[in-house]
Amino acid sequence: MPFSRTDAQYGRQESLHYRLQSNWGSAIAKIIGANAAKSNTFDSTVNMWVFEEMVNGRKLSEIINSEHENVKYLPGHKLPPNVVAVPELLDAVKDADILIFVIPHQFVSRVCDTIKGHIKPDTVGMSLIKGVDEGPEGLKLISEVIREQLGIVMTVLMGANLANEVAEEKFCETTIGCKSKAHGPLLKELMQTQNFRVTVVEEADVVEICGALKNIVAVGAGFCDGLNFGDNTKAAVIRLGLMEMIAFARLFCTASPVSPATFLESCGVADLITTCYGGRNRKIAEAFARTGKSIEELEKEMLNGQKLQGPATAAEVNHILKHKNLVEKFPLFNAVYQICFQGHPVKEFITCLQNHPEHM
């Protein structure tokens, strides 16, 4: 059955003083819109949920729909005219066959609660959310949270995909994690362009874990930059961080063997390198080390209302590892948590590298 509509989702919960709209949500909507417009498989209209706010005296949704540009979160990049900003969440998801989730992971449950019972039971979801959740029994992937709350098939997309570069149509690769052989090719058709190359793998859980954990490592890389440790040290952070990512995946992805090949895809080492050199987690962590300001202060000053995912993921991972008495086996993850949340001096970060088990 042809898929009738796609919905690129992002929004804001004003009561929590936290904007969720992201440049990544608009960048991916640009790709989906262009592909849907020229495809016989998909409906040409792409609904993009946007929580309404005023920009220079005008509603953001009206600006997007008249000027085809998200002037606040992805300025300078035109969206295809078939991408329609919809301020009401239930209107955005109505009759959709594919839902694309691009919101910070802390707000997934609230969004799912709102749309539950208002979507088709055979809807296919795709999560672009890079984070993990801590459930009663330990680690819970964001795709699992969505699947359990909505009862729909879930897939994931993760990769070395800095939003502004994707919007500028610079060449990059990405990885779709999809266990269904039927859905994989369809989602690849929806997402792939000449400059946004898609590989589909079945290890969806590993793909998703990579997307979450690399943000913790990027915070460590930013500490190194802020402390002027140099490229050799940052290379060590990337390598040791990748080792911890693989070890974590092997501990928690127990349904099937974890293939090292998945870490060589864009979702693995490529995303890790990109984030450690160009991502906002690295950028804020560098400023944190240089200025002594809090993460919250720097978010407000530097991120235009967006939220940092690395520290939050480090906290959730730390709680999960504590529950299993495994914190000491992940010294880099633990050091990021201690510096961000327990007041440890950022200069102590080098100690986790010097004493890492890889060197013992």
Side-chain angles (χ1 to χ4, degrees):
M1 180 184 78
F3 280 59
S4 64
R5 183 179 295 169
T6 61
D7 294 75
Q9 296 191 26
Y10 67 106
R12 183 186 67 178
Q13 299 296 335
E14 188 63 36
S15 62
L16 296 169
H17 308 288
Y18 177 47
R19 297 187 182 97
L20 307 185
Q21 281 111 319
S22 69
N23 53 359
W24 182 219
S26 293
I28 209 69
K30 179 181 177 182
I31 288 175
I32 294 170
N35 283 345
K38 64 185 180 183
S39 171
N40 294 323
T41 306
F42 309 102
D43 188 293
S44 60
T45 301
V46 177
N47 285 349
M48 179 171 70
W49 173 46
V50 52
F51 194 100
E52 198 69 274
E53 63 180 299
M54 303 302 290
V55 178
N56 296 326
R58 298 175 62 192
K59 293 180 179 180
L60 181 58
S61 63
E62 292 179 358
I63 296 173
I64 292 172
N65 290 334
S66 62
E67 299 177 16
H68 308 297
E69 180 181 348
N70 190 335
V71 295
K72 184 162 187 179
Y73 298 100
L74 195 67
H77 298 284
K78 290 295 183 181
L79 298 173
N82 60 316
V83 174
V84 178
V86 181
E88 295 296 331
L89 177 55
L90 294 183
D91 290 340
V93 303
K94 183 180 179 182
D95 297 327
D97 293 294
I98 302 176
L99 295 176
I100 311 297
F101 293 83
V102 197
I103 56 176
H105 70 278
Q106 300 95 323
F107 297 89
V108 168
S109 291
R110 182 174 296 186
V111 168
C112 288
D113 284 343
T114 301
I115 67 176
K116 185 177 182 179
H118 297 275
I119 60 174
K120 294 180 178 181
D122 59 349
T123 297
V124 174
M126 175 180 283
S127 173
L128 279 63
I129 302 167
K130 296 182 175 180
V132 293
D133 198 10
E134 183 189 3
E137 299 176 1
L139 175 74
K140 180 151 288 205
L141 299 175
I142 301 304
S143 63
E144 285 184 272
V145 174
I146 299 171
R147 181 169 55 247
E148 289 179 2
Q149 288 195 242
L150 300 181
I152 62 175
V153 171
M154 283 300 300
T155 64
V156 298
L157 181 147
M158 306 283 159
N161 308 140
L162 295 178
N164 287 332
E165 293 185 13
V166 172
E168 291 165 5
E169 300 182 25
K170 294 179 179 178
F171 180 83
C172 67
E173 299 175 312
T174 198
T175 310
I176 290 177
C178 177
K179 296 179 181 179
S180 166
K181 294 186 184 300
H183 292 140
L186 192 68
L187 295 171
K188 181 173 182 175
E189 179 184 349
L190 179 65
M191 292 293 182
Q192 181 162 270
T193 70
Q194 184 175 3
N195 287 319
F196 191 71
R197 305 301 292 175
V198 176
T199 300
V200 181
V201 302
E202 293 186 19
E203 283 189 313
D205 50 356
V206 177
V207 172
E208 189 168 2
I209 279 181
C210 284
L213 298 183
K214 58 94 180 184
N215 283 328
I216 305 176
V217 184
V219 172
F223 291 160
C224 285
D225 290 340
L227 296 168
N228 297 316
F229 284 162
D231 287 337
N232 290 344
T233 305
K234 189 151 76 168
V237 169
I238 293 172
R239 190 187 77 83
L240 295 171
L242 180 60
M243 296 295 292
E244 291 193 16
M245 288 169 59
I246 294 171
F248 190 93
R250 285 176 171 163
L251 278 172
F252 293 96
C253 298
T254 56
S256 59
V258 173
S259 170
T262 303
F263 292 91
L264 298 179
E265 297 290 349
S266 182
C267 64
V269 66
D271 195 10
L272 179 61
I273 292 170
T274 297
T275 307
C276 286
Y277 277 90
R280 63 177 177 259
N281 286 278
R282 186 219 63 80
K283 181 180 178 181
I284 295 294
E286 178 184 10
F288 176 85
R290 291 193 188 280
T291 67
K293 294 182 180 180
S294 70
I295 295 292
E296 291 78 11
E297 287 178 287
L298 294 167
E299 285 174 338
K300 292 176 182 177
E301 291 178 10
M302 301 171 66
L303 294 187
N304 192 29
Q306 297 182 72
K307 192 74 174 176
L308 208 62
Q309 294 300 305
T313 302
E316 285 155 352
V317 165
N318 187 266
H319 295 158
I320 290 164
L321 292 173
K322 277 183 180 176
H323 184 70
K324 293 185 174 289
N325 295 317
L326 292 172
V327 170
E328 299 306 317
K329 292 186 178 295
F330 295 85
L332 191 150
F333 289 175
N334 188 42
V336 170
Y337 169 75
Q338 289 177 328
I339 292 167
C340 290
F341 294 100
Q342 295 189 325
H344 285 225
V346 68
K347 291 181 180 180
E348 287 186 4
F349 183 70
I350 191 66
T351 305
C352 84
L353 307 179
Q354 295 168 333
N355 298 330
H356 201 281
E358 280 284 304
H359 294 163
M360 295 173 66

